[in-house]
Amino acid sequence: MELLDLSLISSTIRMVTPILLAALGGALCTRVGIFNVGLEGLVLVGAFSAIVGNHFTGSLFLAILFAALICVLFSLLFAYMTIGLKANEIVVGVAINFLALGLTTFALRAIFGVKGAFYDKEMAGLPKLDIPVIKDIPVLGDIFSGHSPLVYLAFIAAILLYLFFYRTVTGFRVLAVGMNPVAARSLGLKVTGLQVLAITMCGVLCGLAGAQLSLGQVTMFTEGMTAGRGFIALVAMMMGQSHPLGILASSFLFGLMDAISIRLQGFSLPTQFTSMLPYLLTIVAMFFVKEKNRAGGNQQSSR
């Protein structure tokens, strides 16, 4: 097995999906002036809810819908605390993360009667879609065809979010709210409504991210299975400057490191070492974001 080959790109596309979906959700919140650090918890809740929905309904569509619905409820709790009660968004986001970790652990034992992980060999995962024409093209077919529907949906969501922000009236209003909510309110924009809408859509995207994680990649749930992907999505969102296409590029970078870390396990390297790679990149990226922000601050101060 080689470290760098075409299958690594295919694996990267699959690994990038949960990060990309969660990062797009975080960008929606940031664009309305709310920094949502609860992405990790929302994705974890989505992963667990998808398994629960699939177990009790036997329908993958209903399972994904259930995951999105539960994440929307958690997002509305976040919205009520931060917008309605004016609580600190960082504190609320951290609380959401810990609540999700404890609640999924408790629910895993209460619903399935198991500890650590739940796996059902009868449970079906997300199907693989073969793209007509492209699947028959050498190289391209191996890379871009045969992924789950949520993988393609994630990339389409990035494009749609770009069009929403920069080609629609509602998108311009969302950007205006994020730039200056007081000025936006003085112009008659419904600031609170747009903020709640953005947080709700963030919940939907995080629910899809969790469903891809538990049904698209492994078809099981383990405690804390997000393993920091929500925080990585947060960094990807910051690196991409909350721009959908920038987030797409930065998420691909983190997905590539995730895929490489898994590939390195086949070279007899310790799992603990290879698992560190995405988080090492996250730390390096934070230095880059810090320097960029500092440069931006200097430019602003010099005006």
Side-chain angles (χ1 to χ4, degrees):
M1 181 173 61
E2 297 180 0
L3 177 60
L4 301 176
D5 55 18
L6 291 177
S7 65
L8 180 66
I9 302 177
S10 177
S11 178
T12 299
I13 292 174
R14 189 172 62 254
M15 301 301 293
V16 78
T17 302
I19 298 173
L20 176 59
L21 286 169
L24 291 175
L28 269 168
C29 293
T30 302
R31 286 297 189 178
V32 294
I34 295 175
F35 191 65
N36 189 351
V37 299
L39 299 180
E40 174 79 3
L42 291 176
V43 176
L44 184 62
V45 169
F48 180 75
S49 303
I51 290 292
V52 172
N54 195 8
H55 177 75
F56 285 105
T57 66
S59 168
L60 287 169
F61 177 76
L62 291 179
I64 295 172
L65 200 63
F66 184 68
L69 177 64
I70 297 299
C71 283
V72 165
L73 293 178
F74 269 75
S75 294
L76 290 178
L77 174 63
F78 177 83
Y80 175 71
M81 297 293 290
T82 55
I83 300 174
L85 302 182
K86 308 293 183 187
N88 185 287
E89 57 202 33
I90 303 295
V91 175
V92 176
V94 172
I96 290 288
N97 288 335
F98 282 108
L99 174 63
L101 182 62
L103 192 60
T104 53
T105 301
F106 170 76
L108 183 66
R109 300 176 185 180
I111 296 176
F112 299 112
V114 297
K115 296 180 181 178
F118 173 75
Y119 170 73
D120 184 358
K121 62 181 181 181
E122 303 294 334
M123 184 179 294
L126 293 176
K128 309 297 182 187
L129 292 183
D130 290 325
I131 305 177
V133 181
I134 292 180
K135 68 176 182 179
D136 299 323
I137 301 176
V139 181
L140 289 180
D142 296 333
I143 295 175
F144 297 108
S145 185
H147 297 288
S148 74
L150 292 182
V151 172
Y152 301 112
L153 183 62
F155 289 91
I156 293 173
I159 297 172
L160 290 179
L161 194 58
Y162 170 79
L163 295 176
F164 172 72
F165 278 151
Y166 303 107
R167 294 291 186 274
T168 66
V169 175
T170 306
F172 285 129
R173 289 174 177 171
V174 167
L175 297 178
V177 169
M179 290 178 182
N180 194 325
V182 176
R185 188 173 282 109
S186 69
L187 293 174
L189 297 183
K190 297 179 180 178
V191 174
T192 301
L194 289 172
Q195 288 177 328
V196 172
L197 175 64
I199 294 174
T200 302
M201 290 307 300
C202 174
V204 173
L205 291 171
C206 287
L208 297 179
Q212 167 63 23
L213 202 59
S214 61
L215 291 178
Q217 297 185 359
V218 292
T219 319
M220 65 179 295
F221 178 82
T222 59
E223 293 179 8
M225 69 180 300
T226 46
R229 285 182 175 83
F231 296 117
I232 291 176
L234 205 60
V235 177
M237 183 266 294
M238 295 170 69
M239 278 188 69
Q241 299 293 299
S242 300
H243 190 289
L245 301 185
I247 291 172
L248 183 61
S250 56
S251 297
F252 193 86
L253 179 64
F254 285 108
L256 176 63
M257 293 305 297
D258 211 357
I260 289 178
S261 67
I262 295 175
R263 182 66 62 88
L264 286 174
Q265 294 176 14
F267 290 85
S268 301
L269 291 175
T271 306
Q272 294 82 358
F273 173 77
T274 59
S275 299
M276 287 193 306
L277 289 179
Y279 309 107
L280 286 175
L281 178 63
T282 303
I283 294 174
V284 174
M286 288 307 298
F287 280 109
F288 176 77
V289 171
K290 180 181 178 183
E291 290 300 322
K292 199 165 186 175
N293 289 342
R294 184 179 297 172
N298 291 337
Q299 288 177 0
Q300 192 171 9
S301 62
S302 63
R303 290 175 185 172

